[in-house]
Amino acid sequence: MDAPGLGGLNWAVIIIYLVATLGIGVWFTRRASGGTDAFFKANGRIPAWAAGFSIYATTLSAITYMSTPEQAFLTDWSYAAGNIAIFAIVPLLVIFYIPFFRKLDVTTAYEYLEERFGPSIRVLGSVLFVLFHIGRVAIVIYLPTLAISSVTDINPALVAGAVGVLSVVYTFLGGIEGVIWSDVVQGIILLVGAGVILVFGIAALDGGLATVVSDAAADDKFISANNWKFGGAAAAIPIVFLGSVFNNLHQYTASQDVVQRYQTTDSPKSTARSLIVNGFLALLTIPLFYGIGTVLYSFYQHSEALPEGFNTSALVPYFAVTALPAGVSGLLIAAIFAAAQSTISSSLNSISACVTVDIRDRFFPPKDGLPRTGVGFSRAVIIVVGILSVSVALYLAATDQAQTWDLFLSITGLFGVPLAGVFALGIFTKRANTAGVLGGLILGAGLAWIVQEQAGLTPFAVSTVAFIGAMVLGYLLSLLTGLLRARGDHDVLPLTIYGKRDDYTRRVPTKPAEPVAMSASASGNNSDKQGNDHD
């Protein structure tokens, strides 16, 4: 299959988009230079709706942008149950999780783990996040690069450079505030892009939407009775939903790239509103992205067929460059870039937060006891991780070694959902202890690997087993190890739901000078005042 050229108008649209995202980073450079509170938490000045847009854009990568329509094209809409799962956990997040992150005024999610279980669990959680997201950034650069270069004449190195290097630059310059406002722009572009595909795809068919619905109904492309059965060929909706609940618990409670957004708003109520905005955007994803797959299925039933041996992962960019007018197809390529960059920039800033706060500031505080005021180290981390990730992506594109990298991602990713189980044990139980949750984390990951490799269960079933396994085994091991040694003098009650409203003085101070006692009710008012100089 000869790759078509993009043409001058499409290139102009893509370049305008890339320059605009770079401009956002430049605009917020001065604000991001006011210490790590500004660089990582925006001093709590992000509006709730923008934070919600950012969470949405962060969780929807370019891989999702292309794979969700592919899923609907090849099978049906059953995986859409996963998009609804976010509403099942929003009440849990608002009532039980966010109050603790706000009470402690954390920069990273893993600061809670130290207060509850000690430094070893904090460092383990932080390092696992860093390793996984270094790999994830490389994959988020590599897969869209592969898909776009397979259906256009764009050089793969140019795609990887445009997506990766520019993400590094505007993340380096603008900090989390630049990242979030870039996410807003990118989120709008990717939603508009999806809408454009739907409109043009339906308009190109004789009979329009009626033809799409007729084809989809005839070939079971929506939801059928088989989707509610366990063990059948079709995806079982209850398993998809339950597994997605646990996957979302990982993303929204134990993954720094999302948790970091909770501290960028001015109060817990604003954080709750941001999650509601994100939830409605996740609902909008269902008709948009699953709709694209169904529309394209009908389109290629009635127009010329896809090339023989076509890789359906490139379905969306292929349709964009072969069926859409000049300029519009450039917008679609820009939308794929936007989906990739929103994920990359969020990961880069969050990795930098983990390395800066969980490693450097925790174990190498200033010798003179004075707070650090610069963000040079944090920006240096972004550059190093960005160069590493772009290099890996280019290496994968040149050598076709993606399977090896997928193995790395699968190994580190196995700990993600069990780590969410550790957070749940810390918040919902008083008896969970360090030894118990560490054992539960390891055994939960091991159990996930066994059922994934040996039982051949779906990823959603694996997530369910991983979370429940880590929680149950972690709790039982905590009971056992609690009987074998004396209880420590550290009062964990304020860090659990049983003492959610109790004051708590951090064992590890947020500022080098002195610890600060905070209450849940006061955290919203003080979150943008405390720690402004803790770097």
Side-chain angles (χ1 to χ4, degrees):
M1 180 182 71
D2 294 331
L6 277 180
L9 184 56
N10 287 329
W11 272 112
V13 171
I14 294 170
I15 291 172
I16 289 171
Y17 157 73
L18 294 173
V19 171
T21 56
L22 184 60
I24 293 173
V26 173
W27 178 263
F28 287 103
T29 300
R30 175 172 289 184
R31 284 190 176 188
S33 300
T36 51
D37 248 31
F39 199 75
F40 295 132
K41 297 194 287 186
N43 286 329
R45 56 178 167 243
I46 300 297
W49 69 268
F53 243 105
S54 179
I55 293 172
Y56 172 74
T58 296
T59 54
L60 194 150
S61 70
I63 303 169
T64 312
Y65 197 97
M66 295 186 294
S67 65
T68 301
E70 180 189 20
Q71 177 71 21
F73 179 88
L74 296 175
T75 58
D76 51 37
W77 287 35
S78 56
Y79 277 29
N83 296 78
I84 301 173
I86 181 61
F87 281 99
I89 70 165
V90 165
L92 286 174
L93 297 174
V94 172
I95 297 171
F96 297 118
Y97 285 89
I98 290 173
F100 294 103
F101 293 133
R102 302 290 306 208
K103 176 191 287 193
L104 297 176
D105 193 24
V106 299
T107 298
T108 76
Y110 315 106
E111 292 178 72
Y112 169 80
L113 292 182
E114 173 159 11
E115 295 299 315
R116 184 66 177 83
F117 298 118
S120 59
I121 305 299
R122 172 183 180 176
V123 171
L124 181 60
S126 186
V127 168
L128 286 172
F129 172 85
V130 169
L131 290 176
F132 178 74
H133 275 259
I134 288 174
R136 186 170 184 243
V137 169
I139 289 294
V140 168
I141 296 172
Y142 164 69
L143 290 181
T145 296
L146 195 65
I148 292 173
S149 60
S150 69
V151 298
T152 70
D153 61 349
I154 306 178
N155 186 288
L158 184 60
V159 178
V163 172
V165 174
L166 285 177
S167 296
V168 171
V169 172
Y170 75 74
T171 307
F172 171 92
L173 292 173
I176 192 64
E177 196 164 6
V179 168
I180 287 175
W181 286 110
S182 296
D183 284 349
V184 171
V185 173
Q186 290 158 348
I188 292 171
I189 289 174
L190 65 89
L191 289 174
V192 170
V196 166
I197 292 180
L198 279 178
V199 170
F200 276 91
I202 292 171
L205 287 166
D206 289 336
L209 185 60
T211 301
V212 175
V213 173
S214 175
D215 291 341
D219 295 334
D220 286 334
K221 287 294 178 181
F222 292 125
I223 299 293
S224 68
N226 290 329
N227 293 122
W228 296 94
K229 298 177 181 177
F230 295 93
I237 286 177
I239 292 296
V240 172
F241 178 81
L242 189 60
S244 296
V245 166
F246 294 126
N247 283 333
N248 282 327
L249 275 175
H250 164 232
Q251 189 125 44
Y252 287 83
T253 67
S255 189
Q256 173 63 13
D257 54 335
V258 173
V259 174
Q260 191 170 343
R261 268 73 181 159
Y262 301 161
Q263 299 289 17
T264 62
T265 58
D266 63 357
S267 69
K269 288 185 178 180
S270 294
T271 301
R273 287 196 294 271
S274 73
L275 287 171
I276 294 171
V277 170
N278 167 67
F280 281 113
L281 290 172
L283 280 184
L284 186 60
T285 296
I286 296 175
L288 278 179
F289 291 97
Y290 288 94
I292 287 173
T294 304
V295 166
L296 295 187
Y297 174 81
S298 189
F299 178 84
Y300 287 110
Q301 294 290 311
H302 299 283
S303 66
E304 61 179 78
L306 291 168
E308 187 176 350
F310 179 76
N311 180 3
T312 53
S313 295
L315 180 69
V316 171
Y318 178 78
F319 177 79
V321 299
T322 58
L324 297 183
V328 177
S329 53
L331 173 67
L332 264 297
I333 299 298
I336 294 173
F337 280 13
Q341 288 184 305
S342 61
T343 301
I344 294 165
S345 59
S346 296
S347 291
L348 290 176
N349 188 273
S350 299
I351 289 170
S352 179
C354 288
V355 174
T356 300
V357 176
D358 291 330
I359 306 299
R360 187 197 66 170
D361 290 354
R362 173 62 181 83
F363 296 102
F364 305 97
K367 293 181 180 179
D368 56 10
L370 297 175
R372 295 183 172 106
T373 58
V375 293
F377 178 86
S378 306
R379 284 175 163 157
V381 173
I382 289 171
I383 293 176
V384 171
V385 173
I387 291 174
L388 175 62
S389 299
V390 172
S391 300
V392 170
L394 290 173
Y395 173 77
L396 294 176
T399 62
D400 195 24
Q401 296 292 319
Q403 287 186 339
T404 302
W405 202 246
D406 284 343
L407 178 62
F408 165 78
L409 278 176
S410 66
I411 291 173
T412 55
L414 282 174
F415 290 92
V417 175
L419 187 62
V422 171
F423 275 88
L425 278 170
I427 289 174
F428 292 103
T429 73
K430 292 182 286 186
R431 294 183 177 274
N433 60 35
T434 305
V437 298
L438 180 59
L441 175 64
I442 295 171
L443 292 176
L447 194 60
W449 182 83
I450 290 171
V451 298
Q452 176 179 284
E453 298 298 323
Q454 306 301 321
L457 299 180
T458 68
F460 300 103
V462 171
S463 296
T464 302
V465 170
F467 185 90
I468 295 175
M471 273 206 74
V472 172
L473 294 171
Y475 187 72
L476 293 176
L477 288 171
S478 293
L479 292 180
L480 178 61
T481 54
L483 293 174
L484 298 177
R485 63 179 182 173
R487 190 177 182 87
D489 60 358
H490 176 50
D491 181 16
V492 301
L493 191 68
L495 298 172
T496 70
I497 59 171
Y498 307 100
K500 187 173 69 171
R501 298 186 183 278
D502 295 349
D503 291 345
Y504 180 76
T505 300
R506 292 189 59 169
R507 291 188 295 170
V508 181
T510 55
K511 296 189 291 185
E514 59 182 5
V516 178
M518 294 188 64
S519 65
S521 60
S523 61
N525 295 329
N526 296 336
S527 62
D528 61 347
K529 298 176 183 177
Q530 298 196 33
N532 286 335
D533 52 357
H534 89 269
D535 185 0

